[in-house]
Amino acid sequence: MQNAPACLFECTAEKGFAALTVRDITERAMVNRSTFYRHYLDKYDLLEQYLNEMYVSFEDQQVIAGPNPPEVSSSLINLLKHIQQFAGFYRVMLGMQGDPLFTQRFRHKIEKGFFSCFNQVFPELAPKY
């Protein structure tokens, strides 16, 4: 089920998330539905698992980068490349027909990541509490 997230992205861009079914994903991935259900509860679980992996990866890149601004920038660049690669998916999910929970969580995580990178690059501008 390694290609399940990519199939989710492609099918969402084509049909929209609300209209997307597990059958659409499994047909695109060329796997049996029972295989899908061994790994995921439903399309929401697939999305959740993938996003968790992506956020952990993003946070790990920031921790590894430490105070080195060029490396911090590379974690942001990798995220932006991912968004560019799956632009149709993000256009749907963050648009009017998207999933509000996805939008809220995505925005929160991205804001947190950008502020963290900004504070590492410009520590003198970081808020003092």
Side-chain angles (χ1 to χ4, degrees):
M1 287 301 315
Q2 291 180 330
N3 65 342
C7 294
L8 172 74
F9 297 151
E10 293 166 7
C11 291
T12 298
E14 292 170 11
K15 295 184 78 169
F17 191 71
L20 182 67
T21 65
V22 169
R23 176 174 288 208
D24 296 326
I25 298 167
T26 57
E27 285 177 359
R28 177 70 56 100
M30 294 188 291
V31 297
N32 196 318
R33 287 176 52 153
S34 63
T35 302
F36 178 91
Y37 286 117
R38 264 188 253 136
H39 298 275
Y40 310 104
L41 299 173
D42 53 22
K43 67 181 182 179
Y44 296 97
D45 187 44
L46 167 58
L47 179 62
E48 182 76 17
Q49 285 187 39
Y50 180 77
L51 291 175
N52 286 339
E53 290 173 20
M54 186 179 79
Y55 296 144
V56 167
S57 173
F58 183 64
E59 289 168 0
D60 287 348
Q61 287 176 357
Q62 288 177 327
V63 169
I64 290 169
N68 189 343
E71 291 180 32
V72 170
S73 297
S74 71
S75 69
L76 289 175
I77 289 169
N78 289 339
L79 173 65
L80 294 173
K81 283 181 180 179
H82 179 270
I83 293 170
Q84 181 183 26
Q85 180 182 359
F86 299 106
F89 169 78
Y90 286 99
R91 200 172 291 115
V92 169
M93 292 299 284
L94 297 171
M96 297 298 288
Q97 302 299 317
D99 182 63
L101 185 59
F102 171 85
T103 301
Q104 179 185 11
R105 184 166 180 230
F106 182 79
R107 194 163 101 204
H108 172 74
K109 289 288 189 177
I110 297 306
E111 285 175 359
K112 182 179 171 187
F114 273 99
F115 282 126
S116 174
C117 288
F118 183 84
N119 291 338
Q120 287 178 8
V121 175
F122 303 105
E124 68 279 3
L125 299 175
K128 309 283 190 267
Y129 297 104

